[in-house]
Amino acid sequence: MDYLINILNYKLLYNELWRVIVSLLILLSYFPISSIIIEYIRKKLNEFANKTKGRFDNYIIESLSPSLKMFTFAFSFYFATSFLVLETEVKVITAKIFSFLVIVPIVFFVVRFVTAILTHFLQGNGKRSREQATTIDLIVKMTRISLFLIWGLLILSNLWFNISALIAGLWVGGIAFALAAQDLLKNLFSGIALIFDKTFYKWDRVYFQDYDGNIEEVNLRSTKVRTRDGAVLTIPNAMLSDNIVENVAKAPMLRETISIGVTYDTSTEKLKKAKEIIYNAIQKEDIQKERCWVHFTEFGDFSLIIKARFFTKNITMKDSWGTRNGIKDRINFEIKKEFEKEGIEIAFPTQTIEIKR
């Protein structure tokens, strides 16, 4: 027993071995104990939230949950170090570490809670247009960045950094940073310009270079576009700002063209009948009735060409591929059926070879 006591009283860096063991046990017990404490706190908070009708307590719980583990670790660190005999300088360092471990979860909680409340008020009744959704996302992101910067300066101040000297140094190094981060700043300002210029909004369908997709997210540095085959493109905002972007979502309607060739042995009467069939097939659809034209336009290499042009009424490029092409599918079937009834033949490539002897 005396031998064990002597071992436990053995000094390691001014501390008996038993003090070091107790400190380590406190730190190690953080993992199981924190899970129990956090689960209990969440349960009580959820019980309280279920009794109220407002959303603010829900935002508090959602914002607090990620910070609970950091809080419990901070106090585990505090109790663990309190068992140790430390020199004055070491105590100052541990005090700074403890302050940092407490402030960081508070920062995360405040930032998450403020952005959640801000989003709640900006969204209103939850029904947002594409313009509102894009603007809200920008405001929330800029608010989050600003809060992190402010809290970062406060944390550095708490750790006894000279904030005035740091800010002065940032001003001096600002030019060097601007030169080194030209692309980053260019993308940043391009992103702000794209949003305020109303080039496109969230969920708009755009054509950019050889890509066709919907705007999924507009960030300060880049924009995410989901293509028609499901892939996500991350495009730097500077590229979008410097190149032509076709926002087809802003087109209020679709312009469709149908071209049909009938054989050269089609009589004039049947050619007029073919025009009438095409016109009637188009008029059955939900189109702008007064903006529909059907004309015998040219003598082709192997057929008489009839072209039709019309504008949709309620279908735009924002609709799905199936919806947009469904109208032409129905028109084509109707034309084919009526042509068969009238004995009008649709031409196919032919070649007449004349042999002279």
Side-chain angles (χ1 to χ4, degrees), residues 31-143:
F31 297 100
I33 293 174
S34 64
S35 299
I36 297 170
I37 294 172
I38 290 169
E39 189 60 35
Y40 176 78
I41 293 172
R42 282 178 180 167
K43 183 179 178 182
K44 291 299 181 184
L45 289 173
N46 284 325
E47 288 176 0
F48 173 75
N50 291 332
K51 295 177 182 178
T52 60
K53 294 181 180 180
R55 285 284 303 163
F56 291 100
D57 45 8
N58 292 38
Y59 293 141
I60 292 173
I61 296 169
E62 291 168 6
S63 304
L64 186 61
S65 294
S67 301
L68 288 175
K69 281 193 175 182
M70 289 186 278
F71 269 124
T72 53
F73 179 76
F75 286 100
S76 296
F77 175 82
Y78 173 78
F79 288 121
T81 54
S82 64
F83 273 90
L84 299 174
V85 177
L86 303 173
E87 293 183 349
T88 304
E89 291 123 0
V90 179
K91 280 185 177 181
V92 171
I93 293 171
T94 55
K96 287 183 179 181
I97 294 172
F98 175 69
S99 298
F100 177 79
L101 292 174
V102 171
I103 292 172
V104 167
I106 293 174
V107 170
F108 276 94
F109 166 72
V110 171
V111 171
R112 287 173 65 91
F113 181 68
V114 169
T115 52
I117 294 296
L118 182 63
T119 305
H120 173 81
F121 280 111
L122 290 174
Q123 284 183 343
N125 59 6
K127 296 179 180 179
R128 298 182 295 169
S129 65
R130 297 191 308 277
E131 179 179 358
Q132 290 171 331
T134 307
T135 307
I136 289 170
D137 287 348
L138 175 65
I139 293 172
V140 169
K141 286 170 186 173
M142 293 185 73
T143 303

